[in-house]
Amino acid sequence: MNLEINLKRPYGVIKHNMSTENIADLIRLFIEKDSIVLFSFYERNMNLFDVNTQNFISERCVFVNSEWVLPWKESIPHWNEPNQTPPKIMWFSVMQKEDIIKAIEIDHLFRCIVLKKDSDFKQHFNVLFHQEYYP
């Protein structure tokens, strides 16, 4: 396995050739006893997925907002809302390894956050994302 971690303020970059299962294990390292991990999903894309996937996301949805959590603006998706806000984002909780793998399979270029249970969304303390990497 090839793994390189570059920590920069205010984010870190992981370059790897790991399996989805190994990525899920890595994400689980960020989950503390009293915290949860939330993956993002664009609400407008819900109809592009089968009913089982739609239910998986909907049943685990904790927040729906337009909060952009990455530190750079060039990665913001196409604006389709008034007042220059990003599209509605569903943030759904996955805690078990199998569910994290499913969330990654839904969107391999995922974004997720970690926050304390019962906290406000803006109190997230880790932002993790997977970006395409070309060596």
Side-chain angles (χ1 to χ4, degrees), residues 103-118:
I104 294 169
E105 289 172 347
I106 291 170
D107 184 359
H108 287 279
L109 300 177
F110 64 85
R111 284 160 313 286
C112 63
I113 62 169
V114 180
L115 75 156
K116 299 286 185 197
K117 291 178 183 173
D118 301 319

Side-chain angles (χ1 to χ4, degrees), residues 85-135:
T85 59
K88 294 289 184 194
I89 301 169
M90 300 174 74
W91 294 92
F92 63 98
S93 177
V94 288
M95 297 299 290
Q96 303 302 316
K97 181 176 179 176
E98 306 81 43
D99 292 341
I100 294 172
I101 291 170
K102 171 84 173 162
I104 294 169
E105 289 172 347
I106 291 170
D107 184 359
H108 287 279
L109 300 177
F110 64 85
R111 284 160 313 286
C112 63
I113 62 169
V114 180
L115 75 156
K116 299 286 185 197
K117 291 178 183 173
D118 301 319
S119 292
D120 182 76
F121 181 86
K122 292 185 184 289
Q123 294 175 311
H124 61 271
F125 54 90
N126 280 312
V127 176
L128 310 167
F129 75 99
H130 193 228
Q131 179 177 328
E132 287 183 303
Y133 171 67
Y134 301 100

Side-chain angles (χ1 to χ4, degrees), residues 7-51:
L7 298 176
K8 304 173 185 176
R9 287 205 165 150
Y11 63 92
V13 176
I14 300 171
K15 296 178 183 177
H16 67 87
N17 64 352
M18 298 188 308
S19 68
T20 301
E21 292 175 356
N22 287 66
I23 296 170
D25 286 333
L26 183 63
I27 290 171
R28 291 185 73 208
L29 294 174
F30 288 88
I31 305 171
E32 299 174 1
K33 181 175 64 172
D34 59 344
S35 64
I36 59 174
V37 63
L38 301 177
F39 277 74
S40 69
F41 182 83
Y42 295 118
E43 186 177 64
R44 67 184 180 195
N45 293 339
M46 189 65 94
N47 65 340
L48 302 175
F49 289 83
D50 62 76
V51 172

